[in-house]
Amino acid sequence: MWKPRSLLRSLFLLHFLLLLLYSVLPLVSAQVSNATTWNTLSGNPPLVIARGGFSGIFPDSSEKAYIFGVTASLKNVIVWCDVQLTKDSQGICVPNVKLENATDIAQNNKYKSKSYQVNGVQTDGYFSVDYTLKDLRSNVFLVQGDHSRATTIGKGFEILTVKDVVNTTSPQGLWLNIQHDAFYTQHNLSMKNFIRSVSTTVNVSYISSPEASFLRSIKTDINPKITKLVFRFLGKEEVDPSIKQTYGSLLQNLTSIKTFASGILVPKDYIWPVDPTSHYLQPHTSLVSDAHKVGLEVFASTFQNDIPISYNYSYDPVSEHLSFIENGNFSVDGVLSDFPLTSSAAIDCFAHMGLNAPKKVNTLVISKYGASGDYPPCTDLAYKKAILDGVDILDCPVQMSKDGIPFCFNSIDLIKSTNVAKSSVSNLSKSIPEIQAGDGIFAFDLAWNDIKRLSLSMLNPFSDYNLYRNPKFNEKVSLLTLSEFLNFTQGHTSLLGVVIIIE
């Protein structure tokens, strides 16, 4: 399941996101009401932090990404900038210390790769410390660094300074992420001096760093009423280069972090671990509650719509967001997202809604084989889940068994969602060109008692792209006869009706 993502898949997701934008944007144009109760530290709604703007679609930290990120998000969206320093001490927004990971600098012979010590590791690449801002702006442009995403959307975007970002988008809040302080110090550049300088002309809402010593060093230079310091956790086995401790060990002493920071930024699996083998959620940790107890805000990172997520979410990134902001136990204080529209929609449109929320529009919702994205199609659990999700019309595509029993199933060919091809009746496979191309084992060749004993499985329409649906309930569901289906629906008053499909 966790193979590299294909470009085709990213284009599909982009199409989906653009459709979502036009449907949801009017709903997220207003600020979330503070009257709603939240389990954040402050009691206010969680913040949306747009990492590099709308970096899930446009080149990270480009003008288009920042403008689109602000336009498509909540009014109080915070824009994120990974700060790198140029040779002439200018703070630019580029997501990686190695410029070739987010720009086209390596394609220009004018610029040369060099090798430097970065956090004690000899590293080859193109570094901002070797060039002035003018050097970089003359021939270097931002590109999409994640090659599984569409690389043709947005070209020719020059590198922006921190001030450029503010002047271009006028965001409600600015978040500066500072890394590799020691590396820049080796090149006679000072992140601390940059922070002092930029803070005189720009209101910086948050400064984060995975280096505790850097945050301690600037604590007395910032106004805590204007700027909050946030300690950023990387992988638990990685080491904070400034104090030579793993982030996993630092996690055990949140009280110490509170002495120099007002919050922590953690990868989302610090909060909701995912089993690496089954890809299902494990029980949530106590991190958010523990941090809130000592007065630390908690921000969760790595929210992306185009990476595989736990089967529990059924490929729905909004559902994933809700598990962090509305689970009955806690809410993170903000989410760092490549797709801030999704984060905004989750907070402003879907949180606190409940299944009994009144409809905004009278759109009729018709199931497709029940909730076939969650359970094998046309099964008892698929139909129950569809009703629980609020479907209006429940569907039953009718097939007929050899002994004349009509039943609900998504296809006349039983091979598509059952184990019939591996059963004792696999010899019944045959070709009927009038029905479909290729061989099949057809419902009308098996008696109902044989059909209902088959093991059922999920439909996986995107399996060619390594996208597999929830396998947990394979073989744990049952098919329904048409009579059983109709009797089942009569007990659910929320349904407006059923649709019987004859083909």
Side-chain angles (χ1 to χ4, degrees):
M1 174 177 175
W2 308 116
K3 294 182 180 179
R5 296 159 282 166
S6 67
L7 179 59
L8 181 60
R9 178 188 165 206
S10 66
L11 290 172
F12 168 79
L13 287 168
L14 173 58
H15 175 69
F16 166 77
L17 286 165
L18 292 175
L19 290 175
L20 181 64
L21 172 63
Y22 290 115
S23 63
V24 175
L25 186 55
L27 301 178
V28 298
S29 60
Q31 177 81 28
V32 181
S33 170
N34 285 332
T36 303
T37 301
W38 293 88
N39 288 325
T40 56
L41 183 62
S42 66
N44 295 325
L47 291 173
V48 175
I49 306 128
R51 194 187 70 80
F54 211 127
S55 56
I57 294 181
F58 300 99
D60 192 311
S61 305
S62 65
E63 180 180 25
K64 183 65 69 70
Y66 281 122
I67 292 175
F68 198 62
V70 170
T71 303
S73 306
L74 293 172
K75 287 185 178 179
N76 66 336
V77 65
I78 308 293
V79 297
W80 168 285
C81 165
D82 288 289
V83 180
Q84 316 298 337
L85 292 180
T86 63
K87 188 176 183 179
D88 51 345
S89 299
Q90 296 295 308
I92 58 174
C93 297
V94 180
N96 197 288
V97 69
K98 296 177 64 173
L99 297 182
E100 68 270 24
N101 289 347
T103 75
D104 62 359
I105 191 170
Q107 300 172 23
N108 192 318
N109 293 332
K110 176 181 176 181
Y111 304 94
K112 303 298 180 184
S113 176
K114 293 191 177 181
S115 184
Y116 292 123
Q117 287 276 327
V118 180
N119 291 345
V121 178
Q122 198 66 29
T123 305
D124 297 331
Y126 297 80
F127 300 92
S128 59
V129 296
D130 294 317
Y131 307 102
T132 65
L133 178 62
K134 183 178 179 181
D135 292 333
L136 294 175
R137 278 191 165 166
S138 58
N139 292 294
V140 178
F141 299 98
L142 294 162
V143 297
Q144 178 58 265
D146 186 336
H147 297 295
S148 68
R149 292 172 174 169
T151 57
T152 57
I153 299 178
K155 289 188 175 182
F157 292 114
E158 68 178 21
I159 293 172
L160 302 178
T161 66
V162 173
K163 293 180 181 178
D164 290 334
V165 172
V166 174
N167 292 338
T168 299
T169 62
S170 301
Q172 290 291 311
L174 175 67
W175 187 307
L176 302 181
N177 183 59
I178 309 295
Q179 290 186 227
H180 311 299
D181 177 53
F183 169 73
Y184 289 105
T185 299
Q186 293 169 10
H187 293 271
N188 299 316
L189 296 168
S190 172
M191 278 290 186
K192 184 175 181 179
N193 288 342
F194 169 74
I195 292 298
R196 286 173 176 165
S197 174
V198 77
S199 296
T200 62
T201 56
V202 172
N203 286 333
V204 181
S205 304
Y206 294 87
I207 298 174
S208 64
S209 177
E211 298 159 17
S213 293
F214 175 75
L215 292 178
R216 287 193 181 102
S217 73
I218 65 170
K219 183 178 179 181
T220 58
D221 294 306
I222 60 102
N223 183 347
K225 294 182 180 179
I226 298 175
T227 306
K228 294 183 178 181
L229 300 183
V230 177
F231 182 60
R232 184 181 185 184
F233 283 80
L234 303 181
K236 291 182 181 180
E237 302 304 319
E238 294 186 58
V239 175
D240 177 346
S242 69
I243 57 175
K244 310 303 182 185
Q245 289 182 250
T246 65
Y247 293 102
S249 65
L250 291 169
L251 196 66
Q252 307 308 312
N253 194 354
L254 296 176
T255 303
S256 175
I257 294 174
K258 185 66 173 70
T259 62
F260 62 87
S262 65
I264 57 175
L265 172 65
V266 299
K268 59 191 179 187
D269 61 0
Y270 272 51
I271 300 169
W272 279 104
V274 178
D275 184 275
T277 302
S278 70
H279 310 303
Y280 283 99
L281 288 180
Q282 296 176 329
H284 66 74
T285 68
S286 62
L287 175 58
V288 178
S289 300
D290 293 342
H292 283 175
K293 286 177 183 177
V294 300
L296 286 169
E297 291 184 297
V298 181
F299 302 92
S301 65
T302 60
F303 284 90
Q304 301 171 24
N305 290 11
D306 54 355
I307 61 173
I309 56 179
S310 169
Y311 285 126
N312 297 73
Y313 303 128
S314 298
Y315 295 110
D316 180 3
V318 169
S319 177
E320 181 186 33
H321 277 75
L322 292 177
S323 74
F324 284 83
I325 66 174
E326 187 187 33
N327 56 52
N329 297 306
F330 63 83
S331 171
V332 297
D333 300 280
V335 292
L336 176 62
S337 175
D338 291 17
F339 297 82
L341 169 62
T342 301
S343 306
S344 297
I347 294 168
D348 197 29
C349 303
F350 295 100
H352 304 305
M353 179 180 289
L355 294 176
N356 296 321
K359 285 187 175 182
K360 299 292 185 181
V361 291
N362 291 321
T363 301
L364 198 66
V365 179
I366 305 171
S367 69
K368 182 180 180 181
Y369 317 143
S372 55
D374 296 302
Y375 297 96
C378 301
T379 57
D380 53 348
L381 294 185
Y383 286 131
K384 289 177 182 178
K385 182 63 163 58
I387 292 173
L388 183 64
D389 287 343
V391 74
D392 296 313
I393 304 292
L394 210 57
D395 72 310
C396 171
V398 178
Q399 312 301 337
M400 190 73 74
S401 68
K402 184 177 181 179
D403 49 347
I405 304 297
F407 66 98
C408 302
F409 196 60
N410 57 292
S411 172
I412 194 172
D413 181 5
L414 299 175
I415 290 178
K416 294 183 178 179
S417 298
T418 78
N419 70 334
V420 69
K422 298 180 180 179
S423 71
S424 59
V425 295
S426 60
N427 61 320
L428 295 178
S429 176
K430 60 185 177 183
S431 175
I432 304 180
E434 295 84 356
I435 294 179
Q436 66 178 32
D439 291 350
I441 299 177
F442 300 97
F444 49 73
D445 284 332
L446 274 76
W448 171 241
N449 282 336
D450 294 325
I451 292 172
K452 68 181 182 180
R453 284 196 292 264
L454 295 173
S455 295
L456 302 164
S457 59
M458 293 293 298
L459 286 175
N460 291 295
F462 298 105
S463 58
D464 288 346
Y465 307 108
N466 302 303
L467 291 174
Y468 298 97
R469 288 174 171 170
N470 181 3
K472 188 174 183 179
F473 298 100
N474 283 356
E475 306 177 4
K476 296 182 180 180
V477 291
S478 301
L479 291 175
L480 303 178
T481 65
L482 176 59
S483 176
E484 290 170 337
F485 171 80
L486 294 174
N487 289 335
F488 166 75
T489 59
Q490 287 178 359
H492 296 277
T493 57
S494 61
L495 287 174
L496 297 182
V498 299
V499 55
I500 306 300
I501 302 167
I502 307 295
E503 185 176 353

